[in-house]
Structures are given as C-alpha cells and as structure tokens.
Amino acid sequence: MLAEAIAVNTDAPVNNSEAKIWDNAHVMRTYARQPVEFVRGEGVYLYDASGKPYLDLLAGIAVCAVGHCHPYLTCALQQQSATLLHVSNLYLTEPQARLARRLVELSDFERAFFCNSGAEANEAAIKIARKYGRGIRESKTNIVTALKSFHGRTLAAITATGQPKYSENFAPLPGGFQYVPFNDVEALKAVVNEDTCAILLEPIQGEGGIHPASMEYLRTARELADHHGSLLIFDEVQTGVGRTGKLWAYQQYGVIPDVMTLAKGLGGGVPIGACLARGAAAETFVPGDHGSTFAGNPLATTAALAVLDILADENLTENARRVGAYLTSRLGELQQKFPALIGGVRGMGLMLGVEVFQSAARKIVAGALDNGLIINATGDDTIRLVPPLTLAEADVDRAIELLEKTLASLRM
Ligand SMILES: *Cc1c(COP(=O)(O)O)cnc(C)c1O
C-alpha cells in the first residue's frame, strides 16, 4: 500500500493552483511569497512545473552551499536514511561525534553543541554567555549587540536583533540586551564594561544589507571582551561554511571569537545548526543545562559531513573567493551601464550586496524572476546575492545577461 502511495506521489501531475489554494488557506501567513512554485533543483538551477529554468543566486538564502541535489550529498542522505535517522541525544551516534571532531579540526574551537537552526544556535550561545557571566558575578548578564543586526526569530534572538520591527509586537521581551551602532568603535567602548557577559556580532551583517565589519571594529571587540572578561560571540549563521572565501569569516579578520554560531550552509539544505566554543565557554554547559530532541541526529550530521567533504573536494571556499571577485567585477560593468539604478557592491566572496537607487530593489527582483534569475532584496536599496558556492564563471556571465535584460526593461 505504501509502495502504491509512493508511486502515486511521483506520478501525480503538479497542480500549481491547487498548492496555492492550500497554502493560502492553511499555512500561517508569515511569508509574502514570490509568484512561483519550484518542483526540482539541479546544481545552480531551480525548475518550475512547466520546466522553466531559474538560475539561483539565492541558494535558499545562503543554505544550498553545494548547489541543489549534489549527487554526493544525495547519496549520503539516501544511505543514512536507510541506516538510522534518529535515536535522540540520550544515546551516542557516530555521525554527530564525527561532525564535532571535523568542525573542531577545521576551526579554532574545542566543542560543539548541535541544534536545528540559526536562531537555536544563537539561543545556545546566549545561554552559555549568561551562565558564564553569572558564574563570575550575578550582575554580569548584559549582552551587547549591534543595530541592524539579525540573529533569528525566537524571543531571545529577536531581542538580540537590533531591529525593532522584528520584536515590537512580541513584548515583553527578555531583558539584558544593549544595542550599539555597528562599526562604531567608540560606541562599543562606551557600553562594554564588567557587567557585560558577551558581545554578539555578525562579521558581515547579512539581513541588514550585507555590511562587513571593519577590521578595527572586530579587533576592538576582541580587546574589550578580553579586558572585561566578556565572551566574544560571532554569529556566522550566514557568513560561515566557505561563503566569504574563507571557511569562517573570522579568519578574514584574524579575530578569533570565544563562541561561533552556524546554520544555513552547514547542512546544504538539511536543517542543522551548531554552536562552537573554546576555553571556558566550551565547558559552561553541564548535563541538564541545554538540549534539543532532534539536534545533531544522524541524518542532519551526515548532511553536514557530506557538505564539508564536498567543500574540500571541490575547493569551493577558493571558488567562492575567485567567482565572487569575478561577479563583483561584472556587477561593476552593470553599474557603468545603469548608473541611475545600480551603485556599488559590498561584501566578500559569494556574499554580496548591490546598492540600488530609486528604491527599486524589489522591482528588480520581480523582473529578474520573470526572466529566470533568482535574486533577493534586503530592504528597498540592496540586492543580496548568496548563490551556491559551486557557481562557475559561465554562470556569472549568464546571470549578468539576465540582470542586464531586467534592468534595460525597467527604463528608469
Ligand atoms: C538567517 C540568520 C539567522 C537565523 O537563522 P534561522 O535558521 O532562520 O533560525 C541568524 N543569524 C544570522 C546572521 C542569519 O543570517
């Protein structure tokens, strides 16, 4: 009977309008959906039910780091799902231990806590910071974060997020968070003190519009944390796993945080997050302090191991650096051709933000989608490009063609 159901599912014609009706009626309205339904992905392309290809420069929001349906990742998932999916964290499973060892070998950290998302990784980091601080002094509980940051959607994460629009409808919020303007060294110096348990920063603000921290800013954050006995936490949920042209963005700055949070690209599309820590921060949690039923299960950790294998085997971190530089230079040509619409490019590797004039970002995103190009707007003034790290220079040429066609049709 189950075999029959599987056969029926695979053969069923995809009916766009039916799914749309169900979605409208029965899925909570947390997303304003783009007018397209994808049914399949391969490499850097997604396909709708009519078979129309879309070149994907968004990668599920920096998630599909190795592209869609990479055969090695698919095979690893097929094998693991036929072997063992889940047993809970009451028992040891090899893939989780292997992933922790791999992440530690590839970074400057000593231990990992696994979870299922970026927000959860930050929750873990926030709980570590609070327990660490209170262990020193009861008043050492303040967490300093940046304005225009984004740290996720749980209550603590929206409170850490320095953008009131994410939290104002959900008060009362957890206390003990302080906000500073990003990249303002003096403001950071003014607020961090002995009651600061942690400074939490994105090395490159992603949702806030692709704004890299300055070298001086992150170095100052490290010095202040050391001076006041606070933890330095980097939220690398978006910047981590090769995206910026180094495996971790902190390596771009030569500043090693005490805690680093990961998610998005780590599982290549399978939900997994991680909170990595070193020193005292790595030893703060003891049994009973924190946990998650699904976290680090054999399927999710196998996915992350496969992603890390592919990254190394295909030199994708180096590819992000090289193709990112090429994409940046080709976008510079577009800026010359459309100076009234397109400004400068910010970011590193394959995490790029294109400045857009006349608040046209959403209009450009919609036009590009029609033309078979997936890009994304963070606000009205920035186009965000976070493509698969497998992107090739020929894909960039195609993307620029499609973007040029889109911009020409806007005639602004
Ligand atoms: C996306 C993102 C998050 C939240 O991750 P979720 O998996 O959506 O919970 C947190 N921090 C940063 C920097 C992000 O880009």
Side-chain angles (χ1 to χ4, degrees):
M1 214 160 101
L2 205 53
E4 241 168 67
I6 289 168
V8 167
N9 276 343
T10 355
D11 296 344
V14 177
N15 185 335
N16 271 336
S17 58
E18 212 167 46
K20 205 169 170 181
I21 291 165
W22 297 334
D23 181 66
N24 269 331
H26 306 303
V27 177
M28 282 199 196
R29 300 161 183 272
T30 57
Y31 294 101
R33 302 231 196 258
Q34 298 286 327
V36 60
E37 182 188 343
F38 293 118
V39 298
R40 191 171 73 79
E42 190 180 336
V44 297
Y45 281 90
L46 285 171
Y47 298 86
D48 67 14
S50 76
K52 176 178 169 181
Y54 296 76
L55 178 51
D56 184 8
L57 296 197
L58 182 60
I61 318 183
V63 166
C64 305
V66 298
H68 297 283
C69 300
H70 191 292
Y72 182 88
L73 176 57
T74 299
C75 180
L77 289 171
Q78 283 172 339
Q79 285 181 5
Q80 188 59 49
S81 64
T83 307
L84 189 65
L85 279 183
H86 180 86
V87 298
S88 91
N89 283 299
L90 301 179
Y91 311 97
L92 175 65
T93 51
E94 201 261 3
Q96 183 182 124
R98 182 183 292 277
L99 178 61
R101 190 184 69 146
R102 180 84 63 85
L103 289 170
V104 161
E105 279 173 359
L106 291 170
S107 71
D108 292 275
F109 302 93
E110 292 159 12
R111 291 186 186 276
F113 171 80
F114 292 108
C115 51
N116 311 291
S117 69
E120 284 180 48
N122 287 325
E123 283 281 341
I126 288 165
K127 284 180 69 175
I128 288 172
R130 286 279 166 72
K131 191 180 176 204
Y132 165 85
R134 291 172 62 87
I136 296 169
R137 199 178 325 102
E138 213 173 298
S139 61
K140 194 175 180 66
T141 53
N142 288 337
I143 298 175
V144 176
T145 74
L147 294 172
K148 302 205 172 132
S149 60
F150 183 80
H151 299 295
R153 301 288 200 149
T154 61
L155 272 178
I158 56 173
T159 308
T161 292
Q163 302 190 61
K165 68 172 179 181
Y166 289 108
S167 58
E168 59 199 3
N169 290 329
F170 305 103
L173 300 171
F177 288 86
Q178 297 172 309
Y179 309 94
V180 288
F182 189 57
N183 270 341
D184 183 334
V185 168
E186 293 311 315
L188 196 60
K189 283 182 179 165
V191 68
V192 176
N193 62 31
E194 60 179 12
D195 284 339
T196 304
C197 67
I199 305 168
L200 166 59
L201 295 169
E202 294 159 90
I204 302 175
Q205 290 191 329
E207 302 302 307
I210 316 290
H211 294 283
S214 70
M215 192 72 88
E216 189 196 5
Y217 191 61
L218 294 190
R219 291 202 172 144
T220 303
R222 180 68 273 173
E223 282 164 22
L224 287 169
D226 288 340
H227 184 74
H228 294 289
S230 322
L231 297 179
L232 181 61
I233 305 170
F234 281 178
D235 177 346
E236 293 227 25
V237 168
Q238 193 161 156
T239 56
V241 199
R243 173 121 331 252
T244 68
K246 299 256 190 200
L247 196 51
W248 320 112
Y250 76 80
Q251 296 168 325
Q252 299 278 10
Y253 291 88
V255 173
I256 306 175
D258 303 291
V259 178
M260 171 172 79
T261 56
L262 301 175
K264 290 201 166 89
L266 185 59
V270 175
I272 181 169
C275 174
L276 306 189
R278 65 192 180 100
E283 310 301 333
T284 299
F285 281 158
V286 298
D289 276 340
H290 199 43
S292 163
T293 300
F294 291 131
N297 82 17
L299 188 76
T301 48
T302 293
L305 283 163
V307 166
L308 293 171
D309 282 346
I310 296 165
L311 239 62
D313 188 56
E314 299 182 11
N315 273 317
L316 293 184
T317 301
E318 167 59 26
N319 190 68
R321 183 162 43 216
R322 202 189 62 248
V323 177
Y326 182 63
L327 177 53
T328 302
S329 81
R330 297 284 337 252
L331 288 166
E333 293 168 27
L334 282 189
Q335 184 186 4
Q336 305 284 314
K337 285 186 190 162
F338 301 92
L341 271 178
I342 299 291
V345 180
R346 300 183 298 266
M348 289 180 201
L350 284 173
M351 182 172 178
L352 299 175
V354 184
E355 186 185 7
V356 171
F357 302 125
Q358 307 183 52
S359 300
R362 291 194 170 85
K363 208 180 266 183
I364 295 171
V365 167
L369 189 68
D370 265 354
N371 287 326
L373 177 68
I374 301 170
I375 54 178
N376 165 252
T378 57
D380 295 327
D381 309 313
T382 305
I383 286 172
R384 169 170 54 177
L385 306 174
V386 282
L389 307 183
T390 51
L391 198 75
E393 280 163 356
D395 301 322
V396 170
D397 291 337
R398 179 72 185 137
I400 295 293
E401 262 175 51
L402 294 170
L403 201 49
E404 185 163 353
K405 182 176 158 193
T406 305
L407 293 170
S409 73
L410 285 180
R411 286 183 227 283
M412 288 173 87

